[in-house]
Amino acid sequence: MPEMPEVEVIRRYLDTKLRGRRIESLDIFLPRQIKYPDPNAYKAMCTGQKIANVNRRGKYLLLELSNGVELVFHLRMTGRLVYHEREDENDDTHTRLIFHLDGGSILVFGDTRTFGALYALDTPAERWRIHGLATLGPEPLTEEFSAGYLWERTRRSHAPIKSFLLNQTMIAGIGNIYADEALFLAKIHPLTKANALTQADCEALQLAVDQVIADGIRDGGTTFRDYQNGEGKQGLHQEHLYVYNREGEPCRRCGTKIEKIKVGGRGTHFCPHCQEMKPHA
DNA sequence: CTAAGTACCTGTCCGC
DNA sequence: TGCGGACAGGTACTTA
């Protein structure tokens, strides 16, 4: 479900609600979603601790506790983290874990498909234990994510640019929706080999990625089915998408019908006119 | 190393 | 209505 903009929207809300709150107890309904350490150790590491703040890296949500422990959440396809003032407000039919907080409020982890992954680390220095977290590339909207960076990293990749964008070791946080949207804005065909991009393409792509990510956050994320923000509400960015989930509908720029193909096993949407494949020498 | 295919799950939608 | 198959905001693992 959530890509970087959705996780960032959740983070911002939860940070306002959870900062300074104490975790009194934990109900674990599906222990296999706790990947490290074992569920009993996990429980011991957070019970009685205060939440110092809520952070994010790529699509990972990070709760920093007063004892230095870092609780790590990856929501994968259908995970949700929703805060409720009272326990009886929770109507999630796929509740997998509940943190009971001071004053009777709760933080609910719900997950329909149960792909989500939870971890507790003694300190942030232990992030190496989570391979996907330790190997993340630069974040969009930072100085490190530049046209020059894209130019350098694409030189060595024969993968389609769509697959390159989904590779979290290249850029942190882009998922299937925002990859398609960014390629549309940058006018690049998704099957273009990464190392066939020009420097001008890399400049356009860096701007496009930053724009779609910023727009997604501004609109509170994109909701098709499962995504909810930390308040249990839907996002609005689905109203502003250019190509994702718009197969057969007219391109907002030129009116040509949006096409859907498979790239690297993922559904991929693009405008065949605006994103024409360039012939290469 | 990269690349491709499969696995992990549940729910929904579409065609017959 | 019912059934089968494809598909879904993701990543990790196995195999070539």
PDB file of all heavy atoms in Angstrom, chain A residues 51-82:
ATOM      1  N   ILE A  51       7.533   7.070  24.039  1.00  0.00           N
ATOM      2  CA  ILE A  51       7.881   7.309  22.637  1.00  0.00           C
ATOM      3  C   ILE A  51       8.482   8.707  22.532  1.00  0.00           C
ATOM      4  O   ILE A  51       7.832   9.694  22.886  1.00  0.00           O
ATOM      5  CB  ILE A  51       6.636   7.182  21.733  1.00  0.00           C
ATOM      6  CG1 ILE A  51       6.074   5.754  21.822  1.00  0.00           C
ATOM      7  CG2 ILE A  51       6.986   7.545  20.291  1.00  0.00           C
ATOM      8  CD1 ILE A  51       4.661   5.611  21.281  1.00  0.00           C
ATOM      9  N   ALA A  52       9.743   8.777  22.108  1.00  0.00           N
ATOM     10  CA  ALA A  52      10.429  10.075  22.049  1.00  0.00           C
ATOM     11  C   ALA A  52      10.043  10.821  20.773  1.00  0.00           C
ATOM     12  O   ALA A  52       9.770  12.017  20.803  1.00  0.00           O
ATOM     13  CB  ALA A  52      11.935   9.872  22.113  1.00  0.00           C
ATOM     14  N   ASN A  53      10.035  10.130  19.649  1.00  0.00           N
ATOM     15  CA  ASN A  53       9.549  10.743  18.411  1.00  0.00           C
ATOM     16  C   ASN A  53       9.365   9.704  17.319  1.00  0.00           C
ATOM     17  O   ASN A  53       9.753   8.549  17.469  1.00  0.00           O
ATOM     18  CB  ASN A  53      10.434  11.900  17.944  1.00  0.00           C
ATOM     19  CG  ASN A  53      11.863  11.489  17.871  1.00  0.00           C
ATOM     20  OD1 ASN A  53      12.213  10.589  17.113  1.00  0.00           O
ATOM     21  ND2 ASN A  53      12.713  12.126  18.678  1.00  0.00           N
ATOM     22  N   VAL A  54       8.747  10.122  16.231  1.00  0.00           N
ATOM     23  CA  VAL A  54       8.417   9.224  15.117  1.00  0.00           C
ATOM     24  C   VAL A  54       9.198   9.679  13.895  1.00  0.00           C
ATOM     25  O   VAL A  54       9.068  10.835  13.466  1.00  0.00           O
ATOM     26  CB  VAL A  54       6.903   9.242  14.821  1.00  0.00           C
ATOM     27  CG1 VAL A  54       6.553   8.216  13.748  1.00  0.00           C
ATOM     28  CG2 VAL A  54       6.104   8.979  16.095  1.00  0.00           C
ATOM     29  N   ASN A  55      10.011   8.777  13.346  1.00  0.00           N
ATOM     30  CA  ASN A  55      10.864   9.099  12.202  1.00  0.00           C
ATOM     31  C   ASN A  55      10.516   8.225  11.009  1.00  0.00           C
ATOM     32  O   ASN A  55       9.675   7.332  11.100  1.00  0.00           O
ATOM     33  CB  ASN A  55      12.331   8.883  12.581  1.00  0.00           C
ATOM     34  CG  ASN A  55      12.753   9.732  13.764  1.00  0.00           C
ATOM     35  OD1 ASN A  55      12.503  10.925  13.796  1.00  0.00           O
ATOM     36  ND2 ASN A  55      13.371   9.105  14.749  1.00  0.00           N
ATOM     37  N   ARG A  56      11.187   8.488   9.899  1.00  0.00           N
ATOM     38  CA  ARG A  56      10.959   7.714   8.681  1.00  0.00           C
ATOM     39  C   ARG A  56      12.247   7.620   7.890  1.00  0.00           C
ATOM     40  O   ARG A  56      13.038   8.551   7.879  1.00  0.00           O
ATOM     41  CB  ARG A  56       9.895   8.387   7.803  1.00  0.00           C
ATOM     42  CG  ARG A  56       9.577   7.626   6.513  1.00  0.00           C
ATOM     43  CD  ARG A  56       8.731   8.440   5.559  1.00  0.00           C
ATOM     44  NE  ARG A  56       9.368   9.689   5.190  1.00  0.00           N
ATOM     45  CZ  ARG A  56      10.396   9.788   4.371  1.00  0.00           C
ATOM     46  NH1 ARG A  56      10.905   8.720   3.790  1.00  0.00           N
ATOM     47  NH2 ARG A  56      10.928  10.971   4.119  1.00  0.00           N
ATOM     48  N   ARG A  57      12.452   6.471   7.235  1.00  0.00           N
ATOM     49  CA  ARG A  57      13.545   6.335   6.268  1.00  0.00           C
ATOM     50  C   ARG A  57      12.988   5.486   5.133  1.00  0.00           C
ATOM     51  O   ARG A  57      12.574   4.333   5.369  1.00  0.00           O
ATOM     52  CB  ARG A  57      14.745   5.658   6.944  1.00  0.00           C
ATOM     53  CG  ARG A  57      15.914   5.414   6.030  1.00  0.00           C
ATOM     54  CD  ARG A  57      16.717   6.701   5.780  1.00  0.00           C
ATOM     55  NE  ARG A  57      17.936   6.379   5.035  1.00  0.00           N
ATOM     56  CZ  ARG A  57      18.024   6.446   3.697  1.00  0.00           C
ATOM     57  NH1 ARG A  57      17.015   6.857   2.965  1.00  0.00           N
ATOM     58  NH2 ARG A  57      19.142   6.109   3.090  1.00  0.00           N
ATOM     59  N   GLY A  58      12.930   6.037   3.912  1.00  0.00           N
ATOM     60  CA  GLY A  58      12.291   5.323   2.812  1.00  0.00           C
ATOM     61  C   GLY A  58      10.855   5.012   3.198  1.00  0.00           C
ATOM     62  O   GLY A  58      10.120   5.873   3.670  1.00  0.00           O
ATOM     63  N   LYS A  59      10.455   3.756   3.054  1.00  0.00           N
ATOM     64  CA  LYS A  59       9.103   3.352   3.429  1.00  0.00           C
ATOM     65  C   LYS A  59       9.049   2.785   4.851  1.00  0.00           C
ATOM     66  O   LYS A  59       8.022   2.234   5.252  1.00  0.00           O
ATOM     67  CB  LYS A  59       8.578   2.307   2.429  1.00  0.00           C
ATOM     68  CG  LYS A  59       8.533   2.804   0.982  1.00  0.00           C
ATOM     69  CD  LYS A  59       8.211   1.699  -0.015  1.00  0.00           C
ATOM     70  CE  LYS A  59       8.467   2.160  -1.444  1.00  0.00           C
ATOM     71  NZ  LYS A  59       8.358   1.049  -2.424  1.00  0.00           N
ATOM     72  N   TYR A  60      10.126   2.900   5.593  1.00  0.00           N
ATOM     73  CA  TYR A  60      10.159   2.406   6.980  1.00  0.00           C
ATOM     74  C   TYR A  60       9.734   3.502   7.949  1.00  0.00           C
ATOM     75  O   TYR A  60      10.222   4.634   7.868  1.00  0.00           O
ATOM     76  CB  TYR A  60      11.563   1.953   7.370  1.00  0.00           C
ATOM     77  CG  TYR A  60      12.042   0.705   6.682  1.00  0.00           C
ATOM     78  CD1 TYR A  60      12.614   0.764   5.414  1.00  0.00           C
ATOM     79  CD2 TYR A  60      11.957  -0.540   7.300  1.00  0.00           C
ATOM     80  CE1 TYR A  60      13.071  -0.379   4.769  1.00  0.00           C
ATOM     81  CE2 TYR A  60      12.418  -1.689   6.670  1.00  0.00           C
ATOM     82  CZ  TYR A  60      12.968  -1.609   5.410  1.00  0.00           C
ATOM     83  OH  TYR A  60      13.434  -2.736   4.782  1.00  0.00           O
ATOM     84  N   LEU A  61       8.854   3.148   8.893  1.00  0.00           N
ATOM     85  CA  LEU A  61       8.498   4.040   9.999  1.00  0.00           C
ATOM     86  C   LEU A  61       9.319   3.619  11.210  1.00  0.00           C
ATOM     87  O   LEU A  61       9.476   2.424  11.480  1.00  0.00           O
ATOM     88  CB  LEU A  61       7.022   3.878  10.356  1.00  0.00           C
ATOM     89  CG  LEU A  61       6.029   4.928   9.897  1.00  0.00           C
ATOM     90  CD1 LEU A  61       4.660   4.550  10.425  1.00  0.00           C
ATOM     91  CD2 LEU A  61       6.404   6.315  10.362  1.00  0.00           C
ATOM     92  N   LEU A  62       9.817   4.607  11.942  1.00  0.00           N
ATOM     93  CA  LEU A  62      10.740   4.343  13.046  1.00  0.00           C
ATOM     94  C   LEU A  62      10.260   5.057  14.292  1.00  0.00           C
ATOM     95  O   LEU A  62      10.150   6.284  14.304  1.00  0.00           O
ATOM     96  CB  LEU A  62      12.135   4.867  12.654  1.00  0.00           C
ATOM     97  CG  LEU A  62      12.663   4.387  11.282  1.00  0.00           C
ATOM     98  CD1 LEU A  62      13.803   5.266  10.807  1.00  0.00           C
ATOM     99  CD2 LEU A  62      13.092   2.930  11.352  1.00  0.00           C
ATOM    100  N   LEU A  63       9.955   4.299  15.345  1.00  0.00           N
ATOM    101  CA  LEU A  63       9.569   4.899  16.626  1.00  0.00           C
ATOM    102  C   LEU A  63      10.773   4.859  17.545  1.00  0.00           C
ATOM    103  O   LEU A  63      11.251   3.776  17.904  1.00  0.00           O
ATOM    104  CB  LEU A  63       8.426   4.126  17.306  1.00  0.00           C
ATOM    105  CG  LEU A  63       7.020   4.084  16.720  1.00  0.00           C
ATOM    106  CD1 LEU A  63       6.009   3.760  17.813  1.00  0.00           C
ATOM    107  CD2 LEU A  63       6.660   5.362  16.035  1.00  0.00           C
ATOM    108  N   GLU A  64      11.215   6.041  17.960  1.00  0.00           N
ATOM    109  CA  GLU A  64      12.355   6.118  18.876  1.00  0.00           C
ATOM    110  C   GLU A  64      11.820   6.161  20.302  1.00  0.00           C
ATOM    111  O   GLU A  64      11.011   7.020  20.635  1.00  0.00           O
ATOM    112  CB  GLU A  64      13.143   7.395  18.554  1.00  0.00           C
ATOM    113  CG  GLU A  64      14.419   7.557  19.332  1.00  0.00           C
ATOM    114  CD  GLU A  64      15.021   8.942  19.069  1.00  0.00           C
ATOM    115  OE1 GLU A  64      14.903   9.443  17.936  1.00  0.00           O
ATOM    116  OE2 GLU A  64      15.576   9.514  20.024  1.00  0.00           O
ATOM    117  N   LEU A  65      12.276   5.213  21.129  1.00  0.00           N
ATOM    118  CA  LEU A  65      11.789   5.130  22.515  1.00  0.00           C
ATOM    119  C   LEU A  65      12.795   5.750  23.477  1.00  0.00           C
ATOM    120  O   LEU A  65      13.970   5.936  23.144  1.00  0.00           O
ATOM    121  CB  LEU A  65      11.531   3.664  22.892  1.00  0.00           C
ATOM    122  CG  LEU A  65      10.583   2.888  21.967  1.00  0.00           C
ATOM    123  CD1 LEU A  65      10.314   1.492  22.538  1.00  0.00           C
ATOM    124  CD2 LEU A  65       9.284   3.645  21.732  1.00  0.00           C
ATOM    125  N   SER A  66      12.308   6.029  24.698  1.00  0.00           N
ATOM    126  CA  SER A  66      13.142   6.724  25.686  1.00  0.00           C
ATOM    127  C   SER A  66      14.332   5.893  26.139  1.00  0.00           C
ATOM    128  O   SER A  66      15.324   6.433  26.625  1.00  0.00           O
ATOM    129  CB  SER A  66      12.284   7.118  26.891  1.00  0.00           C
ATOM    130  OG  SER A  66      11.494   6.018  27.307  1.00  0.00           O
ATOM    131  N   ASN A  67      14.273   4.565  25.997  1.00  0.00           N
ATOM    132  CA  ASN A  67      15.415   3.723  26.383  1.00  0.00           C
ATOM    133  C   ASN A  67      16.399   3.518  25.230  1.00  0.00           C
ATOM    134  O   ASN A  67      17.269   2.661  25.311  1.00  0.00           O
ATOM    135  CB  ASN A  67      14.909   2.360  26.886  1.00  0.00           C
ATOM    136  CG  ASN A  67      14.075   1.630  25.855  1.00  0.00           C
ATOM    137  OD1 ASN A  67      13.758   2.172  24.801  1.00  0.00           O
ATOM    138  ND2 ASN A  67      13.724   0.385  26.157  1.00  0.00           N
ATOM    139  N   GLY A  68      16.212   4.278  24.131  1.00  0.00           N
ATOM    140  CA  GLY A  68      17.123   4.166  22.995  1.00  0.00           C
ATOM    141  C   GLY A  68      16.694   3.144  21.969  1.00  0.00           C
ATOM    142  O   GLY A  68      17.239   3.093  20.862  1.00  0.00           O
ATOM    143  N   VAL A  69      15.693   2.314  22.316  1.00  0.00           N
ATOM    144  CA  VAL A  69      15.204   1.303  21.372  1.00  0.00           C
ATOM    145  C   VAL A  69      14.535   1.976  20.182  1.00  0.00           C
ATOM    146  O   VAL A  69      13.908   3.026  20.322  1.00  0.00           O
ATOM    147  CB  VAL A  69      14.204   0.353  22.083  1.00  0.00           C
ATOM    148  CG1 VAL A  69      13.363  -0.430  21.090  1.00  0.00           C
ATOM    149  CG2 VAL A  69      14.963  -0.592  23.021  1.00  0.00           C
ATOM    150  N   GLU A  70      14.697   1.373  19.030  1.00  0.00           N
ATOM    151  CA  GLU A  70      14.024   1.851  17.818  1.00  0.00           C
ATOM    152  C   GLU A  70      13.071   0.762  17.337  1.00  0.00           C
ATOM    153  O   GLU A  70      13.498  -0.335  16.987  1.00  0.00           O
ATOM    154  CB  GLU A  70      15.052   2.185  16.738  1.00  0.00           C
ATOM    155  CG  GLU A  70      14.437   2.841  15.523  1.00  0.00           C
ATOM    156  CD  GLU A  70      15.501   3.445  14.618  1.00  0.00           C
ATOM    157  OE1 GLU A  70      16.312   2.688  14.027  1.00  0.00           O
ATOM    158  OE2 GLU A  70      15.532   4.680  14.506  1.00  0.00           O
ATOM    159  N   LEU A  71      11.769   1.075  17.335  1.00  0.00           N
ATOM    160  CA  LEU A  71      10.775   0.152  16.777  1.00  0.00           C
ATOM    161  C   LEU A  71      10.642   0.460  15.294  1.00  0.00           C
ATOM    162  O   LEU A  71      10.394   1.602  14.910  1.00  0.00           O
ATOM    163  CB  LEU A  71       9.420   0.319  17.470  1.00  0.00           C
ATOM    164  CG  LEU A  71       9.364   0.033  18.965  1.00  0.00           C
ATOM    165  CD1 LEU A  71       7.920   0.137  19.460  1.00  0.00           C
ATOM    166  CD2 LEU A  71       9.931  -1.344  19.283  1.00  0.00           C
ATOM    167  N   VAL A  72      10.807  -0.589  14.470  1.00  0.00           N
ATOM    168  CA  VAL A  72      10.817  -0.405  13.015  1.00  0.00           C
ATOM    169  C   VAL A  72       9.593  -1.085  12.422  1.00  0.00           C
ATOM    170  O   VAL A  72       9.290  -2.235  12.770  1.00  0.00           O
ATOM    171  CB  VAL A  72      12.102  -1.016  12.411  1.00  0.00           C
ATOM    172  CG1 VAL A  72      12.121  -0.826  10.898  1.00  0.00           C
ATOM    173  CG2 VAL A  72      13.343  -0.409  13.058  1.00  0.00           C
ATOM    174  N   PHE A  73       8.894  -0.372  11.548  1.00  0.00           N
ATOM    175  CA  PHE A  73       7.698  -0.911  10.889  1.00  0.00           C
ATOM    176  C   PHE A  73       7.858  -0.785   9.382  1.00  0.00           C
ATOM    177  O   PHE A  73       8.198   0.284   8.879  1.00  0.00           O
ATOM    178  CB  PHE A  73       6.446  -0.102  11.260  1.00  0.00           C
ATOM    179  CG  PHE A  73       6.132  -0.074  12.731  1.00  0.00           C
ATOM    180  CD1 PHE A  73       6.798   0.787  13.585  1.00  0.00           C
ATOM    181  CD2 PHE A  73       5.156  -0.908  13.254  1.00  0.00           C
ATOM    182  CE1 PHE A  73       6.496   0.817  14.943  1.00  0.00           C
ATOM    183  CE2 PHE A  73       4.853  -0.885  14.613  1.00  0.00           C
ATOM    184  CZ  PHE A  73       5.525  -0.021  15.451  1.00  0.00           C
ATOM    185  N   HIS A  74       7.589  -1.880   8.650  1.00  0.00           N
ATOM    186  CA  HIS A  74       7.439  -1.770   7.200  1.00  0.00           C
ATOM    187  C   HIS A  74       6.043  -2.269   6.859  1.00  0.00           C
ATOM    188  O   HIS A  74       5.704  -3.409   7.159  1.00  0.00           O
ATOM    189  CB  HIS A  74       8.498  -2.567   6.445  1.00  0.00           C
ATOM    190  CG  HIS A  74       8.581  -2.143   4.999  1.00  0.00           C
ATOM    191  ND1 HIS A  74       7.514  -2.244   4.141  1.00  0.00           N
ATOM    192  CD2 HIS A  74       9.579  -1.572   4.285  1.00  0.00           C
ATOM    193  CE1 HIS A  74       7.865  -1.754   2.957  1.00  0.00           C
ATOM    194  NE2 HIS A  74       9.119  -1.343   3.019  1.00  0.00           N
ATOM    195  N   LEU A  75       5.229  -1.425   6.253  1.00  0.00           N
ATOM    196  CA  LEU A  75       3.816  -1.743   6.053  1.00  0.00           C
ATOM    197  C   LEU A  75       3.563  -2.603   4.814  1.00  0.00           C
ATOM    198  O   LEU A  75       2.449  -3.113   4.633  1.00  0.00           O
ATOM    199  CB  LEU A  75       3.006  -0.444   5.964  1.00  0.00           C
ATOM    200  CG  LEU A  75       3.159   0.480   7.183  1.00  0.00           C
ATOM    201  CD1 LEU A  75       2.394   1.774   6.980  1.00  0.00           C
ATOM    202  CD2 LEU A  75       2.680  -0.210   8.451  1.00  0.00           C
ATOM    203  N   ARG A  76       4.595  -2.761   3.953  1.00  0.00           N
ATOM    204  CA  ARG A  76       4.441  -3.529   2.707  1.00  0.00           C
ATOM    205  C   ARG A  76       3.170  -3.133   1.961  1.00  0.00           C
ATOM    206  O   ARG A  76       2.934  -1.971   1.770  1.00  0.00           O
ATOM    207  CB  ARG A  76       4.479  -5.032   3.009  1.00  0.00           C
ATOM    208  CG  ARG A  76       5.809  -5.481   3.587  1.00  0.00           C
ATOM    209  CD  ARG A  76       6.912  -5.534   2.563  1.00  0.00           C
ATOM    210  NE  ARG A  76       8.166  -5.919   3.175  1.00  0.00           N
ATOM    211  CZ  ARG A  76       8.599  -7.146   3.301  1.00  0.00           C
ATOM    212  NH1 ARG A  76       7.887  -8.143   2.833  1.00  0.00           N
ATOM    213  NH2 ARG A  76       9.759  -7.402   3.872  1.00  0.00           N
ATOM    214  N   MET A  77       2.334  -4.122   1.571  1.00  0.00           N
ATOM    215  CA  MET A  77       1.221  -3.794   0.678  1.00  0.00           C
ATOM    216  C   MET A  77      -0.014  -3.239   1.397  1.00  0.00           C
ATOM    217  O   MET A  77      -0.676  -2.343   0.900  1.00  0.00           O
ATOM    218  CB  MET A  77       0.817  -5.035  -0.113  1.00  0.00           C
ATOM    219  CG  MET A  77       1.902  -5.555  -1.028  1.00  0.00           C
ATOM    220  SD  MET A  77       2.152  -4.525  -2.450  1.00  0.00           S
ATOM    221  CE  MET A  77       1.039  -5.304  -3.615  1.00  0.00           C
ATOM    222  N   THR A  78      -0.369  -3.822   2.528  1.00  0.00           N
ATOM    223  CA  THR A  78      -1.672  -3.485   3.123  1.00  0.00           C
ATOM    224  C   THR A  78      -1.591  -3.118   4.605  1.00  0.00           C
ATOM    225  O   THR A  78      -2.612  -3.110   5.292  1.00  0.00           O
ATOM    226  CB  THR A  78      -2.658  -4.669   2.961  1.00  0.00           C
ATOM    227  OG1 THR A  78      -2.075  -5.839   3.555  1.00  0.00           O
ATOM    228  CG2 THR A  78      -2.969  -4.951   1.509  1.00  0.00           C
ATOM    229  N   GLY A  79      -0.395  -2.817   5.074  1.00  0.00           N
ATOM    230  CA  GLY A  79      -0.249  -2.471   6.491  1.00  0.00           C
ATOM    231  C   GLY A  79      -0.811  -1.084   6.818  1.00  0.00           C
ATOM    232  O   GLY A  79      -0.846  -0.206   5.966  1.00  0.00           O
ATOM    233  N   ARG A  80      -1.269  -0.927   8.053  1.00  0.00           N
ATOM    234  CA  ARG A  80      -1.808   0.356   8.522  1.00  0.00           C
ATOM    235  C   ARG A  80      -1.311   0.579   9.940  1.00  0.00           C
ATOM    236  O   ARG A  80      -1.155  -0.365  10.697  1.00  0.00           O
ATOM    237  CB  ARG A  80      -3.343   0.315   8.587  1.00  0.00           C
ATOM    238  CG  ARG A  80      -4.032   0.020   7.296  1.00  0.00           C
ATOM    239  CD  ARG A  80      -5.531  -0.201   7.470  1.00  0.00           C
ATOM    240  NE  ARG A  80      -5.849  -1.528   7.948  1.00  0.00           N
ATOM    241  CZ  ARG A  80      -5.919  -2.615   7.178  1.00  0.00           C
ATOM    242  NH1 ARG A  80      -5.689  -2.512   5.893  1.00  0.00           N
ATOM    243  NH2 ARG A  80      -6.205  -3.791   7.700  1.00  0.00           N
ATOM    244  N   LEU A  81      -1.079   1.821  10.308  1.00  0.00           N
ATOM    245  CA  LEU A  81      -0.797   2.181  11.703  1.00  0.00           C
ATOM    246  C   LEU A  81      -1.733   3.320  12.038  1.00  0.00           C
ATOM    247  O   LEU A  81      -1.621   4.404  11.471  1.00  0.00           O
ATOM    248  CB  LEU A  81       0.661   2.615  11.874  1.00  0.00           C
ATOM    249  CG  LEU A  81       1.653   1.570  12.337  1.00  0.00           C
ATOM    250  CD1 LEU A  81       3.038   2.200  12.426  1.00  0.00           C
ATOM    251  CD2 LEU A  81       1.284   0.939  13.666  1.00  0.00           C
ATOM    252  N   VAL A  82      -2.675   3.052  12.919  1.00  0.00           N
ATOM    253  CA  VAL A  82      -3.726   4.038  13.212  1.00  0.00           C
ATOM    254  C   VAL A  82      -3.812   4.263  14.718  1.00  0.00           C
ATOM    255  O   VAL A  82      -3.812   3.305  15.499  1.00  0.00           O
ATOM    256  CB  VAL A  82      -5.088   3.575  12.654  1.00  0.00           C
ATOM    257  CG1 VAL A  82      -6.184   4.573  13.011  1.00  0.00           C
ATOM    258  CG2 VAL A  82      -5.010   3.387  11.140  1.00  0.00           C
TER     259      VAL A  82
END
